[in-house]
Amino acid sequence: MPHHDVFPTPDTVHWGYLDARRRPVIEIDPGDTVTIHSVSGSPAEASRNPAHSIRPELQAIHEALAPSPGPHILTGPIHIRGAKPGDALRVEILDVRLRDDWGFNIIRPGKGALPRDFTQDETLHLSIGREAGTIVTPWGMVMPARPFFGIMATAPKPEDGCLTSIIPGYFGGNMDNRELTAGSIIYLPVSVEGALFSAGDGHASQGDGEVCLTAVETGLSGTFKIDVIRGAELAMPYAETASHLITMAFDEDLQEAMREALRFAIGMIVERTHLTSVQAYSLCSMAADVRITQVVNVKKGVHIMIPKALIAQSARDA
């Protein structure tokens, strides 16, 4: 199938928002592959370390655009021919590669998981070894990189207007789910003609929770195979890895996000197996992992990891 590349320029990115009215930067057919290249950071967040390389395209974006209302630079959107409201995108993440040799992490007073505990703005710059797949902190600690896109999204419904890139929702968006690395698959509802898929908010590494406000923010190159599932009528995104199905939910109340993700998990198990809802509820308690995705994006995220091996034992088509 054809392959496409989309590079970040002032004409191919949108900074801080998702909007159904945004014109696509490219059209592709279902089944095509596309490599999306991203950049991250405002002028204040860009590294001034002479050992770090600042890409000319990031500087061009800084000169031509301004963030509003969110901070994330998103590449796209991409129009997938034939995708219609009520369908779903199946986005297989074939590869995610580190693009830059630096990243940043920030703390802002009044934000993060401990909004009143830290009263000074902090911006840390970290060195990234792209070939070695390592990250070096300012205090000398070396961490393995585990790159993924914090934001993968379809356009929101036209009636919802222009939405900040900060808050995740039914369209995906700022999910910040560290499981969505190379080899995983994300399923996203389609709300407009062509779906209008965008990606950005590259992370070199992130822990569950993303507690101080950000991960190791950086530029990435991700290769995706995008297909359309007709008439899926999907209400919320979900994902899968080689070993797990993953349900997700977002709410300002972390407890409510957990409940919704759990209800989604129970429904998924019932749909795919011979189990009753009571049995599926018990199975989740015995074998599924309930994880905090992030607690910093206004709507907090919870994802539930359901082992595929257990689903296969009672699959409906077995």
Side-chain angles (χ1 to χ4, degrees), residues 37-119:
H37 305 274
S38 75
V39 290
S40 283
S42 68
E45 293 155 349
S47 175
R48 290 171 174 78
N49 185 335
H52 295 158
S53 302
I54 307 300
R55 290 185 176 273
E57 57 262 45
L58 179 59
Q59 294 176 318
I61 290 165
H62 289 166
E63 292 170 3
L65 304 174
S68 178
H72 307 100
I73 301 174
L74 307 178
T75 305
I78 296 169
H79 179 110
I80 295 86
R81 295 186 185 99
K84 298 179 180 179
D87 295 341
L89 291 190
R90 180 188 186 274
V91 182
E92 185 176 358
I93 304 167
L94 300 176
D95 188 37
V96 183
R97 297 193 179 189
L98 299 162
R99 189 166 187 253
D100 290 324
D101 59 9
W102 64 279
F104 66 92
N105 173 268
I106 61 176
I107 296 172
R108 295 288 181 262
K111 299 183 182 297
L114 301 172
R116 291 181 292 276
D117 290 35
F118 296 86
T119 59

Side-chain angles (χ1 to χ4, degrees), residues 190-212:
V190 173
S191 299
V192 299
E193 295 285 334
L196 299 183
F197 177 78
S198 299
D201 187 29
H203 295 164
S205 179
Q206 180 203 294
D208 283 335
E210 200 185 20
V211 294
C212 86

Side-chain angles (χ1 to χ4, degrees), residues 14-316:
H14 43 117
W15 194 350
Y17 66 92
L18 293 165
D19 193 333
R21 295 169 295 183
R22 174 79 184 177
R23 292 178 62 86
V25 300
I26 190 174
E27 292 191 7
I28 68 173
D29 289 314
D32 286 1
T33 60
V34 57
T35 298
I36 294 176
H37 305 274
S38 75
V39 290
S40 283
S42 68
E45 293 155 349
S47 175
R48 290 171 174 78
N49 185 335
H52 295 158
S53 302
I54 307 300
R55 290 185 176 273
E57 57 262 45
L58 179 59
Q59 294 176 318
I61 290 165
H62 289 166
E63 292 170 3
L65 304 174
S68 178
H72 307 100
I73 301 174
L74 307 178
T75 305
I78 296 169
H79 179 110
I80 295 86
R81 295 186 185 99
K84 298 179 180 179
D87 295 341
L89 291 190
R90 180 188 186 274
V91 182
E92 185 176 358
I93 304 167
L94 300 176
D95 188 37
V96 183
R97 297 193 179 189
L98 299 162
R99 189 166 187 253
D100 290 324
D101 59 9
W102 64 279
F104 66 92
N105 173 268
I106 61 176
I107 296 172
R108 295 288 181 262
K111 299 183 182 297
L114 301 172
R116 291 181 292 276
D117 290 35
F118 296 86
T119 59
Q120 299 294 321
D121 279 349
E122 299 282 353
T123 301
L124 304 179
H125 289 105
L126 305 97
S127 295
I128 295 174
R130 286 171 291 185
E131 294 301 319
T134 55
I135 303 161
V136 181
T137 70
W139 52 87
M141 186 180 293
V142 180
M143 304 185 299
R146 193 171 186 267
F148 73 98
F149 286 89
I151 295 180
M152 292 177 283
T154 51
K157 298 172 184 175
E159 59 266 30
D160 289 342
C162 181
L163 301 182
T164 175
S165 63
I166 295 172
I167 303 174
Y170 61 86
F171 45 82
N174 196 21
M175 297 175 287
D176 286 331
N177 190 324
R178 68 188 299 266
E179 299 298 330
L180 303 182
T181 55
S184 65
I185 302 168
I186 180 76
Y187 298 85
L188 296 167
V190 173
S191 299
V192 299
E193 295 285 334
L196 299 183
F197 177 78
S198 299
D201 187 29
H203 295 164
S205 179
Q206 180 203 294
D208 283 335
E210 200 185 20
V211 294
C212 86
L213 185 60
T214 75
V216 181
E217 311 291 317
T218 193
L220 298 178
S221 294
T223 300
F224 306 90
K225 181 176 182 290
I226 304 179
D227 288 290
V228 176
I229 302 174
R230 309 292 181 190
E233 299 296 340
L234 184 63
M236 288 293 294
Y238 74 94
E240 63 177 299
T241 67
S243 57
H244 288 80
L245 295 169
I246 308 172
T247 62
M248 293 180 276
F250 317 103
D251 197 273
E252 292 185 23
D253 184 327
L254 186 61
Q255 215 32 26
E256 186 58 30
M258 179 276 295
R259 294 187 188 103
E260 288 304 308
L262 180 56
R263 292 183 182 113
F264 193 177
I266 291 168
M268 181 176 285
I269 292 168
V270 169
E271 179 182 353
R272 294 171 181 242
T273 71
H274 295 286
L275 273 63
T276 67
S277 59
V278 172
Q279 291 168 333
Y281 189 24
S282 290
L283 180 63
C284 285
S285 192
M286 293 186 289
D289 292 320
V290 179
R291 296 183 179 172
I292 298 173
T293 320
Q294 54 75 26
V295 293
V296 296
N297 296 336
V298 182
K299 287 188 176 181
K300 301 169 180 66
V302 169
H303 62 281
I304 297 182
M305 306 288 291
I306 307 165
K308 281 183 174 180
L310 295 179
I311 300 301
Q313 289 185 36
S314 189
R316 284 194 177 276

